[in-house]
Structures are given as structure tokens and as C-alpha cells.
Amino acid sequence: MTEEIQAEDNTETAGDESTANDQTTLLAEGEKTTDDPADKNDADPTGDQDKNADKTADDKDETAESEDGDPDKEDGDDDEAEPITYDLKVQEGMEVDEVALGSFKELAAAMNDGKGLSQEDAQKLVDFRAEMVKGAMDQWETTFSEWRGEIQADKQIGGDNFQSKTVPNVLAAAEKYGGAEMVKLLKTDKMYGENPHIIRMLNRVGETLAEDKAERGGQAAPPAKDAAEIMYPKESKG
């Protein structure tokens, strides 16, 4: 009877050791949840212990091979730290803003958690932005075309009057009240020089100037008084 009890104790001790070995890896824990408890009692505890030991050794070997088989693992940080050089193309016919393009390259290199965007992805973003700008430019050209048509269709400022009356009136008004810079703006910027509302306004101002000149018989306007004559009119007369 004593020998039988001792044998059962030995069996329970071996089972405890097997349970301890089962906890060494996740794989062992996963197997433990699917095994039938009845099968565990009938299994050879010594055999299970050897299997678990072999399994642990195999897992360690696979882990070592995985680490050794990835040569870029240790050098990955150095590779990511290298600056990325982008060769980005802009659509033909579009002006390149070098400052904005340089800022975009810096942004692209910092994206993707510091790894940077690929050349292909960065080029796609540049192309997308170019299409947006081109669409806006096309829309403005449509607007400018509509403005020119509106001016030419206006009986007062368009048609035969445009070259003979409207242009001289607009430029005269711009020069008198806006100076040379305003005249240049009207001649070079379609936002101003082809806006029918601005043209109508300046044309009316120019007509007023022409009427004033005609009433004076074409004579030049009298010279403006200087500051002393305005402030001390009696003294300035001598």
C-alpha cells in the first residue's frame, strides 16, 4: 500500500512539472486550453515533459533564425534617418513656385511616421495639386472671357466706343487718381483691366474729366495753391 501511494505522489509531482513547462510559451498555453483533461491523466508525464522541452528549444531556434535572417533589423534606424531626395515634375506650361515645392518636399520626407512618402506617392500629390490649380485657372479664363463679352456688348462702353472713348477715359481717370501704378495694373492684370464694373466706373470718371476740360476751353487747370497761400492768403499777396 505504501508503494502505491508513493507512486501516485510521483505521478502528481511529474504532472506539476509538466504544467510548469507548459507555461513557458504561448503555444503551450494555447494547447493546454484545447486538451481533454481525461487524456492528460492518461498521458505519460515524462513524455510530455520531454516534448515540451523539445518544443521550447525549437521555438528558441526559430526566434534566433528570425532575428538573424533580418539583416535590416539592426540597421533600420540608420536607413530611415537618411534624407529622401524627390525628383518631382510639374505639368508643362505651369510656373513652378520653388519655395512652395521645397516646403512640400520637406513635408513629404517627414510623413509616414518619419519614413517619408515614396517618390510615386509624392508625385501623385503634386499632380493632384497641379490639376486643382489648372482647374482654377481655367475657371478664371472663362470668367475673363465672359467679362470681355459683357464689355463689348455694352452700348455705352463697348462696340465702336471702346477704343475711341472708353479706353482714353479709363486711362485718364486711372492716371489722375491712381498714378502710373494704377495704369500699369489696368493694363497687365485681367482682374482689374477686364472687370466691367471697374471699367464702367473709371469711364464715368474719365468722362467727367473730359467735360471739365471742355468747359475750360481745353485750357490747363490753374496751378494749385501752395501751403503758404492757403494758410496765409493775405501775406502771400504781398
Side-chain angles (χ1 to χ4, degrees), residues 144-187:
F144 296 149
S145 179
E146 293 174 353
W147 283 354
R148 288 191 293 268
E150 183 178 344
I151 292 172
Q152 291 298 333
D154 190 303
K155 295 180 180 180
Q156 182 177 2
I157 63 175
D160 295 336
N161 292 332
F162 186 73
Q163 291 293 338
S164 61
K165 296 180 180 180
T166 302
V167 172
N169 287 338
V170 169
L171 295 181
E175 184 175 6
K176 181 172 181 59
Y177 296 108
E181 290 298 323
M182 186 61 186
V183 173
K184 180 180 179 181
L185 192 64
L186 289 170
K187 290 182 177 180

Side-chain angles (χ1 to χ4, degrees), residues 154-231:
D154 190 303
K155 295 180 180 180
Q156 182 177 2
I157 63 175
D160 295 336
N161 292 332
F162 186 73
Q163 291 293 338
S164 61
K165 296 180 180 180
T166 302
V167 172
N169 287 338
V170 169
L171 295 181
E175 184 175 6
K176 181 172 181 59
Y177 296 108
E181 290 298 323
M182 186 61 186
V183 173
K184 180 180 179 181
L185 192 64
L186 289 170
K187 290 182 177 180
T188 59
D189 194 326
K190 294 181 180 180
M191 289 287 294
Y192 302 93
E194 295 188 356
N195 190 314
H197 304 290
I198 295 177
I199 298 301
R200 290 190 184 99
M201 180 186 67
L202 292 178
N203 180 65
R204 294 191 186 101
V205 174
E207 288 177 340
T208 302
L209 293 176
E211 291 172 359
D212 290 344
K213 185 176 181 181
E215 290 177 359
R216 293 193 301 268
Q219 298 179 357
K225 298 180 180 180
D226 58 22
E229 186 178 359
I230 294 174
M231 297 179 67

Side-chain angles (χ1 to χ4, degrees), residues 18 26-27 57 64-66 78 82 103 118 128 150 203 217 224 232-233:
S18 175
L26 292 175
L27 180 60
E65 290 177 1
S66 177
D78 295 337
E82 294 180 359
S103 298
S118 66
F128 177 73
E150 183 178 344
N203 180 65
Y232 310 102

